[in-house]
Amino acid sequence: MATRKIPMRKDVLTNEMYPKREMVRIVKDKDGIISIDPTGKKSGRGAYVGLDPDAVKEAKSKKVLDKVFSHSVPEEFYDELFEFVDHQKARMDLFGDLSKKH
């Protein structure tokens, strides 16, 4: 059986490439609303963030997502993103990559 290519995405906070499954997608829809996209299927301008809570804290202080989306991102969104990333990282550490287990 042939090995499948792993899709890679660039983390907008660290500018490093990671497998898409190990990242969180953030999307800005046509109305300018920025939200977390756990499914990866919402329509709009998307950006990927790795599972590094420290990078999210630094991004909040530097307002990185404001620059990425050319739009003002509320402080509360950074807090929500931190909680989500922290939770996902804990799950990944605890259970590993669930997609490999069939």
Side-chain angles (χ1 to χ4, degrees), residues 12-13 55 58-70 73 78:
V12 295
L13 306 181
E58 189 175 331
K60 181 179 179 180
S61 65
K62 293 181 179 180
K63 303 246 182 233
V64 173
L65 294 179
D66 292 34
K67 296 173 187 131
V68 169
F69 289 114
S70 302
V73 178
Y78 283 102

Side-chain angles (χ1 to χ4, degrees), residues 57-88:
K57 280 184 185 177
E58 189 175 331
K60 181 179 179 180
S61 65
K62 293 181 179 180
K63 303 246 182 233
V64 173
L65 294 179
D66 292 34
K67 296 173 187 131
V68 169
F69 289 114
S70 302
H71 192 280
S72 179
V73 178
E75 294 283 322
E76 298 82 34
F77 179 77
Y78 283 102
D79 297 334
E80 179 185 346
L81 180 61
F82 176 81
E83 292 294 324
F84 188 84
V85 166
D86 192 43
H87 177 75
Q88 291 298 98

